[in-house]
Amino acid sequence: MSEHSPPGSRIDWSGPSIESIRRDMLRFAQMQLRDAATAEDMVQEALVAAMNSEHGFAGRSAIKTWLFAILRNKIVDHIRRNAREISRSDLAAQDEDGDDGMDALFNRKMMWSSGYWNHEDGPATWSNPDEVLSQKQFWTIFDACVNHLPEKLARIYMMREMLELETDEICRELGISKNNCWVILHRARLGLRECLEDNWFKGAAR
Amino acid sequence: MINCKQATRLMSEELDRPLKWQEKAALSTHNAMCVYCRNYRKHMAFMREAARRFREGVTEQGD
């Protein structure tokens, strides 16, 4: 990476704050791509693009938000170029309405009893959700819970929620039916919710 | 009457597509009687907000 800031730059590109943002960008990219080398490339491309278009940064948002938006676009482009490499048959193989995908996730307990929440597993009241989002430890748990989802679920969940693709596009890119896409997203959300409740909200009261 | 399993599926899908009026009606009838599913819907909204912050890199205080 070039260590020089362009003339007239308002951003210290070799300073510690960019370095710390870069680390967070890497973590984000690795989570989306599950490939360290590609993640590194995407972050590199995003930083170079940002440096070359610094005039586009009007200071309306935080630098970090701006850099993350550029990174997000790089990752989306990469996924669009490479979607066909992601095994379609693998994703499409999932039974459309069966519970097979969830069994692995919830093998330790039964979530439902004849279609209704079991009392001990029913969604509880989460306290202080707004404060939670500014607690560093929460994000460690959030990160772990997303990564803990079965890979297919995590991948599609992240395309939808972190990369903000519409389900139409996700289905098209991955060659799966819309219904299958909705089922996978539903399972991912069930799993993530359960994990957050068990490991954060229900755990040690914070 | 839909059950919790069906209700949670609708509460996921409403994040991805507009629900039909019949689906909305079934869901609100169910949720009026089910505190777990009312909580579930709040949790879905929370997770969407969390994902937004994550995507924008706003994951710590002071960012």
Side-chain angles (χ1 to χ4, degrees):
Chain A
M1 179 178 9
S2 164
E3 293 298 320
H4 306 288
S5 297
S9 175
R10 289 171 301 148
I11 299 171
D12 177 9
W13 289 99
S14 31
S17 83
I18 293 292
E19 192 44 44
S20 131
I21 295 175
R22 185 178 170 277
R23 273 195 300 275
D24 287 349
M25 289 167 80
L26 263 179
R27 198 161 58 100
F28 180 82
Q30 274 176 15
M31 195 167 165
Q32 309 301 318
L33 298 158
R34 301 198 176 211
D35 172 0
T38 314
E40 188 97 33
D41 288 351
M42 294 295 108
V43 171
Q44 181 69 17
E45 278 185 33
L47 286 171
V48 170
M51 224 159 140
N52 291 335
S53 63
E54 195 186 319
H55 54 87
F57 174 63
R60 284 184 304 267
S61 57
I63 291 179
K64 192 172 182 184
T65 303
W66 177 60
L67 290 172
F68 264 70
I70 296 172
L71 176 62
R72 178 252 174 215
N73 291 339
K74 294 283 172 197
I75 295 174
V76 168
D77 287 347
H78 174 84
I79 288 177
R80 285 180 180 146
R81 281 196 307 270
N82 297 283
R84 271 128 206 111
E85 286 172 20
I86 300 167
S87 164
R88 294 179 159 203
S89 54
D90 204 27
L91 286 165
Q94 285 209 337
D95 174 23
E96 300 243 330
D97 284 304
D99 276 341
D100 53 339
M102 291 316 275
D103 287 347
L105 212 53
F106 298 112
N107 55 4
R108 68 195 191 284
K109 58 185 172 191
M110 292 291 295
M111 212 185 347
W112 314 102
S113 103
S114 15
Y116 289 86
W117 292 105
N118 276 327
H119 280 298
E120 58 275 27
D121 296 320
T125 304
W126 288 359
S127 47
N128 306 320
D130 292 337
E131 289 166 34
V132 163
L133 290 174
S134 49
Q135 286 175 269
K136 193 171 184 174
Q137 307 93 304
F138 170 78
W139 292 103
T140 309
I141 302 282
F142 182 78
D143 209 292
C145 282
V146 173
N147 282 314
H148 184 68
L149 291 171
E151 180 161 2
K152 291 168 205 171
L153 269 56
R155 180 154 215 145
I156 294 183
Y157 176 78
M158 289 191 291
M159 285 172 91
R160 176 77 186 110
E161 299 288 343
M162 314 279 180
L163 301 176
E164 257 194 314
L165 299 177
E166 291 297 328
T167 39
D168 278 355
E169 179 173 12
I170 299 173
C171 307
R172 208 168 49 240
E173 299 285 355
L174 300 177
I176 60 179
S177 74
K178 238 186 234 189
N179 191 54
N180 200 349
C181 206
W182 287 326
V183 171
I184 291 172
L185 284 168
H186 169 47
R187 290 176 181 169
R189 291 176 179 130
L190 274 172
L192 184 57
R193 194 212 70 82
E194 178 92 355
C195 182
L196 292 176
E197 180 155 311
D198 286 352
N199 294 289
W200 180 268
F201 290 99
K202 206 188 266 178
R206 286 163 216 264
Chain B
M1 267 308 282
I2 59 170
N3 61 29
C4 299
K5 208 170 170 178
Q6 294 162 317
T8 55
R9 167 120 189 225
L10 288 177
M11 287 187 279
S12 173
E13 291 193 15
E14 72 180 343
L15 301 171
D16 303 316
R17 67 171 175 91
L19 296 185
K20 297 179 195 136
W21 73 265
Q22 296 94 331
E23 293 171 322
K24 285 185 191 168
L27 185 57
S28 55
T29 308
H30 176 90
N31 280 9
M33 297 185 308
C34 180
V35 66
Y36 293 140
C37 286
R38 286 200 297 278
N39 284 338
Y40 191 85
R41 199 183 220 162
K42 288 181 200 153
H43 300 169
M44 291 299 108
F46 170 86
M47 282 160 49
R48 176 145 280 188
E49 174 64 12
R52 185 187 68 79
R53 296 216 196 172
F54 194 82
R55 161 175 95 229
E56 294 179 355
V58 191
T59 52
E60 283 161 45
Q61 215 153 23
D63 268 0

